[in-house]
Amino acid sequence: MGHKVYGELMRYSQDLKSERKQHLQEGRKAQQYLDQCWKQMDNSKKKFERECKEAEKSQISYDRLDNDINATKSEVEKAKSQLYLRTHSADESKNEYAAQLQNFNGEQWKHFNVAIPQIFKNLQDMDERRTVKLGETYRSFADVERRVVPIISKCLEGMVTAAKAVDQRKDSAIVVESFKSGFEPPGDYPFEDYSQNLSRTGSDNTISTPKNEGGVKPDPKHSISKTAKNKLWLFGKKPKAPSLEDFSHLPPEQRRKRLQARIDELSKELQKEVDQRDALNKMKDVYEKNPQMGDPQSLQPKISETMCNMEKLRSEIHKNESWLSEVEGKVSTRGDRRPSADVNHHAPHGRESPEGSYTDVPNQEHRSPPHQPDPRQAHQPDEFDDEFDDDDPLPVIGHCKALYSFSGQNEGTLLMKENEVLYIIEEDKGDGWTRARKQSGEEGYVPTSYVEIAMEKNSKGLAMMNAASWM
């Protein structure tokens, strides 16, 4: 449809426009030539009229002097000579006017009987050819549609078949399998006898407390807190929606395939941007060597846009590679988010120590070991720990000084001012970004070329000393 119908029709339309323009130009030229002939004829007519009036004046002047007895002979001869000249000029003007009139009449006959009819005939022939071409185009359109209709019908039949094959029980089982919590229903609460140490009498009114069969003590694992109840019960806490970006809602193998396919697609797009950047740079070099071919500065906005797209694609590729490595078990579960991540990285002000206490001191935050799960909770797989949703703060491996200011407008980046001292928590991995942390605890990525980096063996103590020496 695009090549044989639409494309051919557009080309034919352009040809018709050019041909019609040519015919109209011929008509305008014929009209202009006729107007020019009429103007020449009109000028000769006006000249003949003036010459006749001048001859009449000369005739009147001669007759007046010829009848005047006081006029001298020289005056009469002069008037007679003037009359002869005016009469001769009038005769010449008359002949010229007659010739121009005859020429105009001939050209006018040719214009209305030959030139204009021929132009209209050409326009009519062109329109007839256009009508025939439209008919052929309609037939081609119908043929294409006729060949496509069976394919569309087959697709519609497939859609109907798929709709009829919907199994609500199977689909519901898939949803349940994807979102089920895996919790086991809690057991019965045992009776806890607090009256064992009381002395009992043999009175009949004494109510004997039931004892556990076999002397089994209550299992502390069966006791459950209010928070755990809320977590076990479906309506106590809203479950988190599955993330669609990292495909974490899919099984591991399917997630790996989807992430690999996305990485391949992003790599192809990145290669296209790289090729476009190289082509623009070559064109810019040509413009710089030959200014008459174009302005090199006109290509700079497009080059900047291409570089920005490359950075975004590299960030996306790095993010998906981190998720892929997480699936394959090559990196830790905390993942690696570069500046294009969806969420800014912020270090929490307080963390839970292994003993369960909290601290707000920054020094203790960096020196404390990574959080370890309480051994007492190792036998409770049915309870989620909310703190597992947050990543542990990364240790400080060095410090840096900002050489320039950086706005940090993109998500995942960190705002910094010139000469500001930051802590380094992750080195540059080759993409031009270094992960840093402010003294306030805010984390993010800064351009490696914007900072002066000094790596330290001791984490924050040496960083504070060197920062003080800089300031």
Side-chain angles (χ1 to χ4, degrees):
M1 184 72 73
H3 294 283
K4 295 183 179 180
V5 179
Y6 178 75
E8 183 66 24
L9 188 61
M10 291 300 296
R11 288 191 294 271
Y12 187 74
S13 176
Q14 295 297 329
D15 295 339
L16 285 180
K17 289 181 180 179
S18 301
E19 185 179 355
R20 180 176 180 273
K21 184 177 180 181
Q22 181 181 356
H23 294 322
L24 294 178
Q25 287 179 352
E26 293 177 356
R28 282 193 292 269
K29 288 180 180 180
Q31 185 65 40
Q32 290 174 0
Y33 179 71
L34 182 63
D35 293 340
Q36 184 179 1
C37 293
W38 180 86
K39 190 174 182 180
Q40 291 177 356
M41 184 271 296
D42 187 61
N43 290 336
S44 62
K45 178 182 177 181
K46 292 179 180 179
K47 182 180 178 181
F48 173 60
E49 184 180 2
R50 288 194 305 269
E51 294 294 339
C52 290
K53 290 181 179 180
E54 293 293 334
E56 290 177 359
K57 291 180 181 179
S58 299
Q59 182 69 39
I60 295 172
S61 178
Y62 171 72
D63 292 340
R64 181 175 56 80
L65 291 174
D66 188 33
N67 295 327
D68 189 1
I69 58 176
N70 295 324
T72 61
K73 185 177 181 180
S74 60
E75 289 178 351
V76 174
E77 292 294 334
K78 184 178 180 181
K80 184 178 180 181
S81 176
Q82 186 69 22
L83 175 62
Y84 175 78
L85 291 175
R86 292 298 182 183
T87 304
H88 182 70
S89 297
D91 293 339
E92 290 182 353
S93 299
K94 179 180 179 180
N95 296 331
E96 182 181 358
Y97 168 61
Q100 291 293 339
L101 180 61
Q102 183 180 2
N103 180 62
F104 172 74
N105 290 331
E107 294 297 335
Q108 182 176 247
W109 186 90
K110 292 180 181 179
H111 178 80
F112 288 103
N113 293 276
V114 179
I116 293 301
Q118 183 63 35
I119 292 174
F120 280 118
K121 185 178 183 303
N122 294 335
L123 290 172
Q124 183 177 355
D125 294 341
M126 181 192 70
D127 192 73
E128 291 175 356
R129 294 197 308 272
R130 179 188 64 85
T131 305
V132 173
K133 186 66 176 179
L134 280 178
E136 295 176 356
T137 304
Y138 288 146
R139 287 195 298 271
S140 300
F141 176 82
D143 293 339
V144 172
E145 288 289 342
R146 190 179 294 111
R147 291 196 298 269
V148 173
V149 164
I151 301 175
I152 298 177
S153 301
K154 187 175 181 180
C155 293
L156 294 176
E157 292 176 359
M159 294 172 62
V160 172
T161 303
K164 292 180 179 179
V166 170
D167 187 353
Q168 65 274 19
R169 297 291 183 181
K170 183 178 179 181
D171 294 344
S172 179
I174 293 174
V175 175
V176 171
E177 185 67 23
S178 300
F179 290 94
K180 68 180 182 180
S181 63
F183 297 146
E184 294 292 338
D188 296 337
Y189 282 90
F191 179 81
E192 300 181 10
D193 190 1
Y194 297 102
S195 62
Q196 291 180 356
N197 296 329
L198 299 178
S199 58
R200 300 296 181 183
T201 61
S203 174
D204 295 336
N205 295 331
T206 301
I207 300 176
S208 60
T209 58
K211 298 182 180 180
N212 296 321
E213 297 180 1
V216 179
K217 294 182 179 181
D219 189 355
K221 291 191 295 181
H222 289 287
S223 62
I224 186 168
S225 63
K226 182 178 180 180
T227 305
K229 286 182 181 179
N230 292 335
K231 293 180 179 178
L232 287 173
W233 183 242
L234 174 63
F235 304 102
K237 183 177 180 180
K238 184 178 180 181
K240 295 183 179 179
S243 174
L244 300 179
E245 185 179 8
D246 58 357
F247 305 111
S248 58
H249 60 289
L250 297 176
E253 183 61 22
Q254 295 184 16
R255 183 186 180 192
R256 185 189 67 79
K257 292 181 179 179
R258 296 290 291 274
L259 288 173
Q260 186 62 48
R262 180 188 287 175
I263 291 173
D264 296 340
E265 182 179 357
L266 292 173
S267 299
K268 293 180 181 179
E269 295 180 4
L270 178 60
Q271 185 60 39
K272 291 181 181 178
E273 295 294 335
V274 171
D275 296 340
Q276 184 176 1
R277 181 202 60 185
D278 296 340
L280 290 172
N281 287 330
K282 291 180 180 179
M283 187 179 299
K284 183 177 180 182
D285 294 339
V286 172
Y287 286 174
E288 290 177 351
K289 295 178 181 179
N290 302 292
Q292 67 275 9
M293 298 183 65
D295 184 12
Q297 297 301 325
S298 62
L299 300 176
Q300 191 59 39
K302 187 64 177 179
I303 295 176
S304 301
E305 181 182 357
T306 304
M307 296 293 291
C308 182
N309 294 337
M310 290 170 57
E311 290 297 329
K312 291 180 180 179
L313 290 173
R314 287 195 181 101
S315 301
E316 288 294 327
I317 291 174
H318 188 86
K319 179 173 63 176
N320 285 272
E321 287 178 347
S322 300
W323 289 334
L324 181 61
S325 300
E326 180 182 351
V327 175
E328 296 175 349
K330 294 182 179 179
V331 296
S332 61
T333 56
R334 66 177 176 83
D336 185 18
R337 298 291 196 273
R338 303 310 290 178
S340 62
D342 295 335
V343 182
N344 292 334
H345 300 272
H346 299 283
H349 295 287
R351 300 296 301 167
E352 183 180 0
S353 64
E355 293 77 18
S357 60
Y358 285 81
T359 175
D360 291 332
V361 182
N363 292 334
Q364 294 180 3
E365 173 188 339
H366 295 294
R367 292 197 180 99
S368 61
H371 174 71
Q372 300 292 337
D374 192 347
R376 294 172 295 179
Q377 299 178 357
H379 300 286
Q380 298 180 5
D382 51 6
E383 296 182 12
F384 284 114
D385 191 350
D386 290 339
E387 293 195 20
F388 288 165
D389 295 338
D390 298 329
D391 294 339
D392 292 336
L394 299 176
V396 176
I397 59 176
H399 60 277
C400 64
K401 179 180 179 182
L403 301 176
Y404 314 99
S405 299
F406 180 64
S407 60
Q409 297 178 356
N410 297 330
E411 292 185 350
T413 57
L414 183 65
L415 171 66
M416 67 177 181
K417 299 179 180 179
E418 187 176 357
N419 297 326
E420 185 178 0
V421 179
L422 305 173
Y423 307 123
I424 298 177
I425 58 178
E426 186 175 327
E427 295 182 73
D428 186 357
K429 295 185 177 180
D431 55 0
W433 295 91
T434 298
R435 190 171 180 180
R437 178 189 296 142
K438 289 189 175 183
Q439 296 183 7
S440 60
E442 185 179 0
E443 296 182 5
Y445 287 88
V446 297
T448 306
S449 59
Y450 278 38
V451 294
E452 180 181 354
I453 300 175
M455 306 303 294
E456 303 291 349
K457 294 182 180 180
N458 295 331
S459 62
K460 195 171 181 180
L462 291 178
M464 292 291 290
M465 295 174 60
N466 286 305
S469 64
W470 270 349
M471 294 185 288

